[in-house]
Amino acid sequence: MIWLTWRQHRKQALWTAIALAVLAAALIPTGLGMRSTFEDSGLGACLRKLGGTQLVSGGGCESLSQRFENQYGAMLFLAILFVLLPVLVGLFFGSPLVAREVENGTHRLVWTQGISRRWILTKFGLVGAVALVLSVVYSLGVAWWLAPLAANGAGRLGYLFFDVQGAAPIGYTLFAVALGILVGTLSRKVLPAMGISLAAFVAVRVLVETLARPHFLPTKTLSYAIDSPLTGNRFTGSWVYQEGVRNGVGELVLPDARVGCDTDGSGDSAGCVAHFAQQGFGPAPYTNWQEYQPADRFWTFQGIETGLFLALTALLLVLAVRRIRRIA
């Protein structure tokens, strides 16, 4: 059975190996270049000096950060492609697993020999093991490549960055494979199975990312006066849900903004505050406000989301096995 499974999936394995080689050829030189610039420019040392403190005096890393962003910001378009890799594994390894057998009629020979259970376990085990190895290699490689971009203000908890590193890609990949297997048992044709799997995967991922993930843990808030010599440290890596300026009665009078009336630390900010009050924003004092998830919750969020997708994977595999027994 192992030999037969290899024969059936060796083309996917070959193309996957080629894709990984191409991906490595793109990631390694660009990753080394980003890391070299990150350190040689002084940005790395500057950010380490700031640390994870929520409020800092001045923004000494801003100019260095902007230069790094100007040079490597376009790399994020490449990072968007990484989000698609788990579902591609599911489409090309999971969807044809059963659908091809049924579509070609070869399942009648194997399943009528009384070895359907062993066939199922061997197929699922080998394909699942390959998917697991691929997802681990992918996750480690992309995390290494993204590290300078994430440190430059985006943080690992933000959208896109969270989805392509840590343990989450492992959960996504195994879920995509299990989803493809189940849909293949239902559609019994490869191309429809791939199309339906893609749509279902995207739907589940969007629902979890937009509706579930923001509520894994209660948020924290940060407030500081607009005339404070301190300012919010955007390099903490926190996931900011919303921010703005609140007036003396707690109303959010200036959303998606941050005001600094004493950015030079001179203490001469009374005129700035008075001018701000004249704009009709209500009573003072005015405070910058932020709702966020701290950066140190990254692995907690990773564990919750990965566990959710692994649970869905187990459920889909159970349903797929039952469906295969009915077909047999």
Side-chain angles (χ1 to χ4, degrees), residues 106-118:
T106 54
H107 70 293
R108 296 187 181 95
L109 174 62
V110 178
W111 295 355
T112 55
Q113 303 303 311
I115 58 173
S116 59
R117 180 184 294 273
R118 184 157 59 92

Side-chain angles (χ1 to χ4, degrees), residues 161-247:
F161 289 87
F162 182 90
D163 302 327
V164 295
Q165 56 185 315
I170 299 174
Y172 302 153
T173 304
L174 295 178
F175 168 74
V177 171
L179 179 62
I181 293 172
L182 176 61
V183 173
T185 66
L186 297 173
S187 71
R188 302 191 182 194
K189 292 183 179 296
V190 175
L191 290 181
M194 295 176 72
I196 297 171
S197 297
L198 175 61
F201 179 87
V202 171
V204 173
R205 287 278 284 106
V206 169
L207 288 174
V208 170
E209 187 162 319
T210 58
L211 299 181
R213 188 189 301 167
H215 305 288
F216 284 166
L217 291 174
T219 59
K220 290 188 175 184
T221 58
L222 173 69
S223 297
Y224 57 97
I226 65 171
D227 57 347
S228 170
L230 301 178
T231 185
N233 180 10
R234 75 176 185 90
F235 299 106
T236 59
S238 299
W239 179 14
V240 179
Y241 288 6
Q242 55 180 330
E243 63 180 351
V245 178
R246 292 186 179 275
N247 62 18

Side-chain angles (χ1 to χ4, degrees), residues 33-72:
M34 283 195 294
R35 285 173 172 268
S36 177
T37 302
F38 186 78
E39 294 297 336
D40 294 345
S41 66
L43 178 58
C46 184
L47 295 181
R48 286 190 290 271
K49 184 177 179 181
L50 284 181
T53 307
Q54 291 294 331
L55 294 175
V56 295
S57 179
C61 300
E62 291 294 340
S63 60
L64 295 173
S65 171
Q66 188 58 56
R67 285 200 291 270
F68 185 84
E69 177 69 21
N70 292 340
Q71 185 173 357
Y72 292 106

